[in-house]
Amino acid sequence: MPEYPMSPLAGQMMDQPLLISSIIAFAARHYGDSEIVSRRVEGDIHRYTYRDCERRARKLADALEHLGIRMGDRVATLAWNGYRHMELYYGVSGSGAVLHTINPRLHPEQIAYIVNHAEDQILFFDLTFLPAIEIMARSCKTVKRYVALCGREHMPRETSIPALLCYEELVEGGSEDYAWPEFDERSAASLCYTSGTTGNPKGALYSHRSTVLHAYASAMPNALNVSAADVVLPVVPMFHVNAWGLPYSVPLSGAKMVYPGAALDGKSLYELFEQEGVSFSAGVPTVWLGLINYVLENDLRFSTFRRTVIGGSSCPPAMMDTLIDRLRVQVVHAWGMTEMSPLGTACTLMGKHLQQPPEAQRAVLRKQGHAIYGVDMKIVDDDGAELPWDGATSGHLLVKGPWVVSGYFRGEGGEVLQDGWFPTGDVATIDPDGYLAITDRSKDVIKSGGEWIGSIDLENVAMAHPAVLQAACIAVPHPKWAERPLLVVVRRPGMELRREDLLAFFEGKVAKWWIPDDVVFADSLPVGGTGKIQKNKLREAYQQHRLPSA
Ligand code: ADP
């Protein structure tokens, strides 16, 4: 990392390190009565306040110290969104140890790989994952203690896990007198592995400084716009890039927090939204699909839900239109990645857009959005030369900023930066106003006769057809064009749709040579651990598909 020169005249402001513990300490002191409401794995609803959360996080930090956890040690979680997970966010990082949130939807072998690579010392888990842990425990070489996130009454009676600890007893045993330690803000705070669709997962190691700066920036009006008047329900899991930073940005804003636990189906979410007066939420497109269908099928309305962030993969325009026009929920389309903590851009309008007709505003809102302060971005050609921001030229997207990785944990993947910029692996355009539009992931781009076809645009058209529930567009080999697009479609239940009709639906909506060569219908699409459609699996499945044009 670069060393910067110091001016002979130092500024005279207090040199207070930006530490994660300061967020919960602030919330406890200044928004002490604001609530954290959680649907527990045990089935009931739990409620308490930021004041309670901070006190228990300190007790937890003290208990961790007694278990021998020291600064820099990794402490893992396999847990849903809930208050105990939030206590771990603060108790572990606040004590100087490193919180390693693991995606429980990964294959057990992959989880064991990650645990060993991170050298996790303790693993905290929700009871849902007990069977998986029992299988994995023998392969997790570095884990000394396992802790079940429950009270004594719910502890498993019989388990193969040796000396299993009970979370509530652990917290109970910690001292209330524990004071948050102060240390260098560049210390590691938390660790998150990328899903590793190609090769082994790689770890992004966040610092206290990067996390606090990301929390400030992401709460701003141009980004997630979180305020003390909000009630926020992160559907995005706390193991998916720290629930996009919400467990940090929500307490620093003083908003009420609502955690959905393991119940992520449309009905459970809708009920919690209504019961707790949720005003703001965040999640990947696939989760909104379930919630929107439940609300529309049952002819329901949201009474308090006004705004949601959608990211992680492209938000289909049809989904955005349904949320805005039918359900009166404003959509903030956002883009980011694990390597960016994760927020890079968010799509909110500028003053000049407000004078424009609604369709023009909607066209802006469909893009992935504007960089938030702290993130710089550029697009380059294959030789690394910067490309113009004309909204049409697409190129490889590179980013930099204080919450972007400089390399992966334990040097995995070697040197990753290119002249100080992080290559995102995404292909994008940037318009003259600075709005980013993602065309594709570079590995998903379809290369037809030397030209790129953006699969996201094709999926967006297909998703606008009333009989299409889900669509994914992939490249399949073609003797003349090298690759051509194949559309894989899940029909809406009970609706008819023929291949020819869907292909005709594309006419006039995209360039003629972009229209997919063929359509196949499937019962479902493969979805990965973070709710994204796994195009690599689709490509494998349809590798031999013979296009009519071939
Ligand atoms: P993984 O998918 O490997 O688990 P991430 O969750 O970090 O890792 O995914 C980051 C990637 O997700 C980005 O590089 C981009 O390709 C994609 N992505 C994220 N948000 C969007 C969006 N709004 N539109 C299109 N693609 C997105």
Side-chain angles (χ1 to χ4, degrees):
M1 282 192 233
E3 287 285 327
Y4 297 102
M6 178 68 197
S7 156
L9 188 60
Q12 284 186 320
M13 294 296 115
M14 290 186 194
D15 195 7
Q16 226 180 296
L18 302 175
L19 298 178
I20 285 176
S21 56
S22 70
I23 296 177
I24 199 68
F26 175 82
R29 193 164 157 82
H30 298 278
Y31 296 107
D33 291 334
S34 291
E35 272 188 307
I36 301 173
V37 179
S38 312
R39 193 196 287 281
R40 294 204 277 200
V41 175
E42 295 94 306
D44 58 347
I45 298 282
H46 173 273
R47 34 181 98 238
Y48 72 170
T49 64
Y50 283 127
R51 195 176 294 118
D52 301 325
C53 177
E54 195 263 350
R55 186 176 48 83
R56 279 171 50 97
R58 272 187 295 109
K59 283 165 72 90
L60 171 66
D62 185 59
L64 287 170
E65 209 169 282
H66 283 96
L67 284 176
I69 294 298
R70 298 286 169 259
M71 275 189 88
D73 284 350
R74 271 78 71 200
V75 174
T77 62
L78 267 179
W80 301 109
N81 291 7
Y83 69 103
R84 291 181 180 126
H85 207 174
M86 175 123 163
E87 290 164 6
L88 283 155
Y89 264 57
Y90 288 98
V92 173
S93 301
S95 74
V98 177
L99 179 83
H100 174 202
T101 51
I102 304 175
N103 184 342
R105 296 185 185 128
L106 297 178
H107 191 273
E109 260 172 43
Q110 225 173 3
I111 296 182
Y113 168 85
I114 292 176
V115 167
N116 288 325
H117 189 271
E119 299 178 335
D120 294 326
Q121 305 285 307
I122 304 189
L123 197 158
F124 290 77
F125 65 92
D126 269 330
L127 286 178
T128 329
F129 308 117
L130 179 66
I133 305 260
E134 284 176 334
I135 296 170
M136 276 163 12
R138 223 171 310 144
S139 330
C140 297
K141 308 282 183 228
T142 56
V143 179
K144 298 192 190 90
R145 302 308 291 263
Y146 290 86
V147 187
L149 288 165
C150 63
R152 173 56 42 203
E153 67 284 13
H154 290 102
M155 281 298 279
R157 273 170 229 263
E158 274 178 38
T159 172
S160 57
I161 298 173
L164 178 63
L165 293 175
C166 164
Y167 181 76
E168 288 301 326
E169 286 184 352
L170 188 69
V171 171
E172 223 22 71
S175 166
E176 293 214 6
D177 298 333
Y178 180 91
W180 295 119
E182 293 213 319
F183 44 83
D184 193 310
E185 65 186 21
R186 290 166 302 178
S187 305
S190 63
L191 176 63
C192 192
Y193 281 75
T194 60
S195 64
T197 38
T198 49
N200 275 325
K202 296 192 284 291
L205 185 62
Y206 311 117
S207 68
H208 283 260
R209 172 186 154 81
S210 72
T211 307
V212 172
L213 290 176
H214 179 268
Y216 271 125
S218 60
M220 286 198 307
N222 283 345
L224 308 188
N225 192 10
V226 193
S227 87
D230 275 310
V231 179
V232 184
L233 187 151
V235 181
V236 52
M238 289 165 87
F239 53 77
H240 186 196
V241 212
N242 297 328
W244 302 347
L246 290 167
Y248 307 115
S249 56
V250 173
L252 76 72
S253 311
K256 171 177 165 181
M257 180 75 109
V258 182
Y259 285 126
L264 299 175
D265 61 288
K267 181 171 189 287
S268 308
L269 282 177
Y270 178 77
E271 285 169 4
L272 201 56
F273 271 66
E274 289 298 302
Q275 278 160 20
E276 297 302 328
V278 170
S279 61
F280 174 56
S281 186
V284 298
T286 39
V287 307
W288 298 118
L289 212 56
L291 182 60
I292 293 170
N293 283 347
Y294 177 77
V295 170
L296 293 181
E297 276 164 18
N298 295 284
D299 206 15
L300 301 167
R301 287 285 167 273
F302 289 112
S303 39
T304 55
F305 183 32
R306 293 287 169 265
R307 211 156 36 88
T308 190
V309 176
I310 300 187
S313 46
S314 185
C315 173
M319 175 177 285
M320 184 177 282
D321 294 347
T322 306
L323 279 163
I324 299 176
D325 301 327
R326 291 184 67 181
L327 301 174
R328 304 282 162 214
V329 176
Q330 196 54 48
V331 174
V332 180
H333 196 191
W335 167 86
M337 55 199 312
T338 305
E339 290 88 336
M340 300 180 72
S341 307
L343 212 58
T345 65
C347 204
T348 51
L349 298 178
M350 291 163 68
K352 69 175 183 186
H353 296 127
L354 302 179
Q355 276 75 53
Q356 295 175 355
E359 313 82 71
Q361 293 187 11
R362 192 66 56 89
V364 176
L365 290 173
R366 290 198 167 133
K367 299 192 174 197
Q368 276 72 8
H370 206 277
I372 57 175
Y373 171 70
V375 171
D376 195 7
M377 58 190 189
K378 65 174 180 181
I379 44 174
V380 301
D381 64 16
D382 286 338
D383 301 322
E386 188 160 358
L387 294 167
W389 291 19
D390 57 11
T393 311
S394 66
H396 305 288
L397 177 63
L398 276 68
V399 293
K400 62 171 13 180
W403 55 82
V404 178
V405 293
S406 57
Y408 290 102
F409 186 44
R410 297 181 54 193
E412 221 49 59
E415 177 64 45
V416 291
L417 300 191
Q418 298 174 1
D419 288 332
W421 291 77
F422 177 78
T424 64
D426 285 333
V427 177
T429 63
I430 305 176
D431 73 18
D433 291 326
Y435 285 77
L436 173 85
I438 301 283
T439 327
D440 239 320
R441 280 189 145 179
S442 50
K443 50 184 184 273
D444 293 338
V445 164
I446 301 157
K447 291 186 202 80
S448 171
E451 302 266 5
W452 286 356
I453 297 179
S455 63
I456 294 178
D457 281 336
L458 298 177
E459 288 154 11
N460 286 345
V461 172
M463 294 282 287
H465 192 287
V468 173
L469 182 66
Q470 270 183 303
C473 201
I474 52 164
V476 291
H478 188 282
K480 178 164 176 206
W481 302 109
E483 290 177 354
R484 287 294 301 160
L486 168 71
L487 194 62
V488 188
V489 167
V490 180
R491 278 178 281 226
R492 274 190 192 281
M495 292 189 88
E496 297 277 323
L497 178 62
R498 292 183 320 154
R499 172 188 176 276
E500 300 71 43
D501 297 336
L502 185 53
L503 291 178
F505 186 71
F506 277 83
E507 273 162 36
K509 297 192 175 79
V510 293
K512 240 189 158 47
W513 64 277
W514 275 45
I515 298 179
D517 282 33
D518 204 1
V519 179
V520 289
F521 294 100
D523 293 335
S524 64
L525 299 179
V527 172
T530 52
K532 303 184 195 195
I533 294 168
Q534 292 173 304
K535 290 204 180 168
N536 52 335
K537 291 250 165 84
L538 285 176
R539 275 193 293 268
E540 273 165 32
Y542 293 102
Q543 200 42 236
Q544 306 298 333
H545 182 83
R546 216 183 130 71
L547 296 169
S549 58

